[in-house]
């Protein structure tokens, strides 16, 4: 009888324990897995479209945000402060491109990043020419957080010779313009090659402008970033 009782209670204990273990394992593994999956899904979709400050992700860029100064074709400071906001997917591709430049002893200098739609309208009033300024009715990829205006600098911070200044609205700025020194052609080619390799496309008329390929369908924005 004693033996029977001890077998009976032991089997009850074992079954409760195994049931709990199996149950909690199943629940835990399912829940954790699904929560993680959900979190992962959310992280991927949110992080790729959200706007963030480039310098929160990398300090390896040089910023010379021209529209935060009076030294631009508007002759007016149209940004409150010099920050480079972009969608995270643009930041990711830009960092990869910059890593390639760094390996070669160069880095990217930025002249412009995300640009509010109202600033695009101001630009269009001054230069209503879609070769050089995107029509705000359609919007620029800058307004979608997917375009950058850039050049390359060496270890001393000297800009490589690209043949014209940034925002020179003339044929000499075009990738198709050939009456340029071999150095200029080489420098433009280097910029283009690395940017295209990392998910960007060039604009024929402006050697400095690059659009993230995967940004055309993103929404136009008009927010101004916080300067504090
Ligand atoms: C204004 C110039 N820096 C520029 O970015 N032009 C392109 C075409 C744009 O406005 O998208
Ligand atoms: Zn541009």
């Amino acid at each position: 009888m004693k033996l029977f009782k001890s077998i009976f209670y032991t089997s009850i204990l074992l079954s409760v324990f195994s049931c709990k273990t199996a149950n909690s394992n199943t629940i835990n593994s399912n829940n954790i897995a699904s929560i993680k999956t959900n979190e992962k899904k959310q992280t991927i979709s949110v992080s790729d479209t959200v706007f963030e400050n480039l310098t929160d992700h990398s300090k390896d860029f040089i910023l010379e945000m021209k529209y935060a100064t009076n030294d631009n074709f508007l002759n007016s400071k149209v940004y409150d402060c010099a920050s480079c906001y972009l969608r995270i997917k643009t930041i990711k591709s830009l960092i990869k491109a910059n890593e390639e430049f760094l390996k070669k002893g160069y880095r990217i200098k930025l002249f412009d990043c995300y640009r509010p739609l109202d600033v695009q309208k101001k630009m269009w009033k001054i230069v209503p020419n879609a070769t050089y300024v995107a029509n705000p009715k359609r919007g620029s990829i800058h307004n979608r957080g997917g375009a950058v205006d850039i050049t390359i600098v060496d270890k001393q911070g000297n800009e490589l010779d690209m043949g014209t200044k940034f925002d020179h609205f003339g044929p000499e700025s075009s990738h198709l313009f050939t009456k340029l020194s071999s150095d200029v052609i080489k420098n433009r080619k280097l910029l283009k090659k690395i940017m295209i390799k990392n998910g960007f496309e060039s604009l024929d008329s402006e050697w400095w402008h690059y659009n993230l390929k995967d940004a055309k369908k993103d929404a136009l924005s008009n927010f101004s970033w916080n300067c504090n």
Side-chain angles (χ1 to χ4, degrees):
M1 188 62 187
K2 245 184 177 180
L3 181 69
F4 174 78
K5 262 188 180 173
S6 90
I7 290 171
F8 177 76
Y9 286 122
T10 310
S11 67
I12 283 179
L13 267 173
L14 274 175
S15 72
V16 168
F17 179 75
S18 67
C19 181
K20 258 195 175 170
T21 310
N23 211 17
S24 60
N25 272 349
T26 313
I27 290 165
N28 277 346
S29 62
N30 279 348
N31 275 355
I32 289 165
S34 72
I35 289 164
K36 271 192 179 161
T37 312
N38 286 340
E39 274 174 2
K40 221 178 182 182
K41 268 183 196 161
Q42 274 177 2
T43 313
I44 289 162
S45 57
V46 171
S47 74
D48 272 358
T49 54
V50 85
F51 281 86
E52 289 203 352
N53 191 337
L54 175 68
T55 47
D56 289 342
H57 291 263
S58 169
K59 307 276 184 241
D60 289 333
F61 293 88
I62 306 284
L63 267 67
E64 193 179 313
M65 310 308 289
K66 286 290 190 186
Y67 307 126
T69 72
N70 291 310
D71 178 25
N72 57 56
F73 74 96
L74 301 125
N75 290 315
S76 153
K77 183 179 181 295
V78 287
Y79 296 162
D80 290 340
C81 59
S83 295
C84 171
Y85 274 78
L86 291 166
R87 290 195 198 260
I88 291 214
K89 61 182 176 181
T90 319
I91 290 178
K92 282 182 191 167
S93 291
L94 200 61
I95 288 175
K96 279 189 193 152
N98 203 32
E99 279 164 2
E100 289 202 39
F101 286 117
L102 288 167
K103 278 184 204 152
K104 293 179 185 291
Y106 300 126
R107 66 184 66 216
I108 293 175
K109 179 193 261 195
L110 295 133
F111 297 125
D112 197 27
C113 298
Y114 157 69
R115 179 189 303 159
L117 190 59
D118 282 348
V119 172
Q120 194 70 31
K121 289 177 185 168
K122 283 185 188 169
M123 290 180 168
W124 183 253
K125 271 193 183 159
I126 296 166
V127 181
N129 179 348
T131 307
Y132 300 115
V133 174
N135 187 332
K137 279 198 178 140
R138 287 187 62 199
S140 161
I141 305 294
H142 282 287
N143 313 139
R144 302 172 200 274
V148 285
D149 292 337
I150 56 172
T151 192
I152 311 167
V153 296
D154 64 17
K155 280 193 176 142
Q156 285 70 44
N158 302 310
E159 289 179 23
L160 300 202
D161 187 0
M162 294 292 178
T164 77
K165 287 183 99 180
F166 163 62
D167 272 356
H168 170 80
F169 299 145
E172 303 80 10
S173 297
S174 171
H175 283 288
L176 308 173
F177 193 78
T178 51
K179 275 186 262 163
L180 298 161
S181 73
S182 56
D183 265 0
V184 170
I185 291 172
K186 192 180 78 193
N187 295 339
R188 287 187 187 184
K189 269 191 182 162
L190 175 67
L191 180 58
K192 192 170 172 176
K193 188 180 134 199
I194 292 184
M195 291 303 282
I196 285 175
K197 197 174 154 196
N198 287 285
F200 291 88
E201 57 191 12
S202 59
L203 182 68
D204 280 350
S205 52
E206 298 178 348
W207 60 259
W208 56 84
H209 180 103
Y210 284 89
N211 288 330
L212 188 74
K213 265 191 190 168
D214 175 28
K216 291 186 187 78
K217 289 190 181 140
D218 291 333
L220 297 169
S221 286
N222 196 30
F223 74 88
S224 296
W225 50 88
N226 194 343
C227 289
N228 300 321

